[in-house]
Amino acid sequence: MDAAWAVPAESDDSWRIDALCAETDPEAFFPEKGGSTRDAKRVCTGCPVRAECLEFALANDERFGIWGGLSERERRRVRLQRRGTISA
């Protein structure tokens, strides 16, 4: 088989298959400015791939939406804490 057509056995975002958010309304994860994030975070609480989702968002500098149970502001705080830990 030509390497260009080969499909990797497991891609970096294979965790998405098990994400509970895939079974819910995506609007909840991207609320309007000032809108509630409560429903999205509730879904994330029971998600088996929450950690993978959060790491994806941090690695890809996602600026919008709820990822891994955290808002953009909360993810920014995590990034700053990690930088502080690394530089300390």
Side-chain angles (χ1 to χ4, degrees):
M1 175 182 262
D2 186 350
W5 293 103
V7 177
E10 188 165 337
S11 64
D12 291 338
D13 64 353
S14 61
W15 56 267
R16 291 177 186 240
I17 295 168
D18 297 320
L20 291 180
C21 60
E23 302 170 13
T24 60
D25 181 10
E27 298 277 328
F29 294 88
F30 295 93
E32 296 291 324
K33 187 170 184 166
S36 176
T37 60
R38 184 175 48 243
D39 291 342
K41 288 181 175 185
R42 188 175 303 127
V43 171
C44 294
T45 299
C47 186
V49 294
R50 181 178 180 178
E52 292 89 338
C53 178
L54 177 58
E55 290 306 318
F56 174 86
L58 293 170
N60 291 286
D61 200 24
E62 288 290 343
R63 299 284 172 118
F64 302 100
I66 304 301
W67 291 82
L70 300 182
S71 67
E72 193 278 327
R73 180 179 294 157
E74 292 164 328
R75 290 191 304 277
R76 190 176 329 125
R77 202 172 308 137
V78 169
R79 279 192 292 275
L80 290 172
Q81 287 173 343
R82 287 184 178 183
R83 284 185 198 140
T85 302
I86 292 170
S87 63

